[in-house]
Structures are given as C-alpha cells and as structure tokens.
Amino acid sequence: MGSTRKFLEELLAGNQRHVESLPENYFAEVQTDQHPDTVAICCSDSRVPQEHMWGFDHPGVIFTPSNIGNQVWDDDDGDRIVDGGVLYPIHHTDTDVAVVVGHTGCGAITAAYQVATGGDFPGPKGVDKWVEMLVPVIEEGLESDLIDREMNESTVINQLVEYNVDYQAGFLRESDDVPDDVGVYGFVYDFQGVYGNAYGRAYLVNVNGETDSGRITELIPDEFATSTQSLLY
C-alpha cells in the first residue's frame, strides 16, 4: 500500500507540474469542440508516447484510441466491425486521416504468435479476447512468403508487427464505414533500433495500401527518406 500511495503522490505532483507548465489559453480553441486532423490507433504500451511521438505540444490534433495490438476492429456478435474509437472522429469530428501505429517488440504480437504456434493464451479473459482476434492475422502472416520463419524469434515477431500494421490498415481501407477519401497510413514505432539507429522514430510502412518502401520514399519529401523502411518488402 505504501508504494502505491507513493506513486499516487507522484501522479498528483506530475499533474501539478503539467498545470503550471501550460501557457495561458492552452485549451481556448478546443474547450467546447474538437476537430483533430488524425485518429491514430496505437498499441496499449507504456513505451509508446502517443502524442509526444509526433512532436505536438497542443491539444486537439490527434485522436488517440489504443488497445492490445493496435487493432482497428472489435467483435460484434461474431462480426468484425471498425472500432468505435476509430470511427467516432471520422464521422463526428471531421477527421480525414487514420493512422495505425505498431511498435517493435510488441507483447500482443508475441502472445498471438505463441498461441498460433501451440502455446497458451496469456489471460485474463479481457486480454485473451484481443489476443484471440490477432491470432488469425499472425497465422496468415506465418503462412505467407513475407515472414522469414528461419530467422530468430524476435525478428519474426517484428516482421509480424509490420504485417499486422498492414493488415489493420487494409481492414480500414476496405470497410464501408470508412469513406474513400480518408487517408490511411501505417507506422511502426521503433524504440529498439530494429529498423535503424534513430530510436523513437515512427517508420512509415504503409501509405494507402502502398507498402514498397522505395515507392513510399517517392511519395514523401526527400528530408524524410530515412523514415520509411520495411522488414517485409
């Protein structure tokens, strides 16, 4: 109890510093309404700073739902539907860009990989649900020609992270609930130096279905050429 109370005090102190650091009128433009440019669905992981990773220091720019394995869907009586956290800003706040953000060393992908290769679900039930929805994606990835199963397990898992980002982005693009003019981009946030030596870089791996890093490079300014890499293509 003592350690949890100590951390509670740290949270309160941290929020106090946050309040004191905010400039005057920080929330003035978004107090009664929001029109974020982007909805970015990330994995629920403490190592992935959802707004800070994009360098934004003001509110109302990024709508940030997250879940286990950065999955864009949910289960509705056996049907896969686009998760409400993704659909809400697209339909109600004029958001016209959707971003799927995976990350290296993902525990959700690792758990789904272990289940797909004969292991047990990690539990509890609330976690198992999301891992179970990932397992068919991982199985499909393992059966494809894109994953090199001869590599060590960590490399295979990071390839599957990117595969899942592509899969989730494809689900959004194919959904009737997502308008055709919504841009859909996929990133892998790398804090392990898997894609390169720029720790904390979000590597662009999918642009509206384009996954070839060479072609993606042609779609972005030259100064960001090193921001697109792929473990699959």
Side-chain angles (χ1 to χ4, degrees):
M1 182 65 182
S3 60
T4 58
R5 183 181 180 90
K6 180 177 183 297
F7 189 69
L8 172 60
E9 293 174 0
E10 291 178 2
L11 289 174
L12 292 169
N15 179 248
Q16 181 64 28
R17 292 192 300 271
H18 169 68
V19 171
E20 293 171 352
S21 71
L22 296 181
E24 188 176 357
N25 297 324
Y26 181 72
F27 292 104
E29 295 183 3
V30 295
Q31 280 186 330
T32 60
D33 204 359
Q34 63 169 328
H35 296 282
D37 298 313
T38 300
V39 52
I41 186 158
C42 299
C43 185
S44 300
D45 192 292
S46 64
R47 300 165 294 181
V48 183
Q50 292 195 48
E51 291 183 345
H52 187 57
M53 67 187 289
W54 306 114
F56 293 113
D57 59 1
H58 51 285
V61 180
I62 304 284
F63 198 94
T64 56
S66 62
N67 59 43
I68 295 172
N70 46 272
Q71 299 180 65
V72 303
W73 51 42
D74 201 351
D75 180 81
D76 182 45
D77 291 330
D79 294 325
R80 292 285 172 95
I81 61 173
V82 179
D83 184 81
V86 179
L87 281 185
Y88 177 81
I90 290 173
H91 284 264
H92 296 286
T93 68
D94 303 319
T95 301
D96 56 8
V97 173
V99 173
V100 181
V101 185
H103 66 89
T104 54
C106 179
I109 298 298
T110 301
Y113 170 79
Q114 291 172 345
V115 172
T117 54
D120 296 327
F121 281 94
K125 187 178 294 186
V127 174
D128 287 352
K129 168 194 171 180
W130 290 98
V131 173
E132 184 176 10
M133 289 195 292
L134 271 180
V135 169
V137 180
I138 300 310
E139 291 175 336
E140 182 177 308
L142 291 173
E143 293 171 1
S144 74
D145 296 330
L146 298 174
I147 307 300
D148 186 354
R149 299 186 68 174
E150 299 301 317
M151 300 294 286
N152 60 66
E153 183 174 293
S154 63
T155 298
V156 170
I157 287 170
N158 282 319
Q159 287 184 315
L160 288 168
V161 165
E162 184 175 328
Y163 186 90
N164 180 52
V165 167
D166 288 338
Y167 199 101
Q168 302 295 328
F171 186 85
L172 284 183
R173 294 180 67 247
E174 293 168 8
S175 172
D176 293 337
D177 291 322
V178 178
D180 292 339
D181 60 353
V182 171
V184 179
Y185 307 130
F187 290 86
V188 176
Y189 185 73
D190 184 6
F191 51 79
Q192 297 177 325
V194 172
Y195 285 78
N197 58 7
Y199 290 82
R201 187 181 298 286
Y203 285 91
L204 180 62
V205 298
N206 191 307
V207 176
N208 293 319
E210 179 58 72
T211 56
D212 183 271
S213 57
R215 295 194 184 101
I216 291 175
T217 300
E218 297 173 358
L219 301 175
I220 59 178
D222 291 345
E223 62 186 297
F224 303 123
T226 58
S227 294
T228 177
Q229 302 288 338
S230 176
L231 302 181
L232 302 178
Y233 302 97

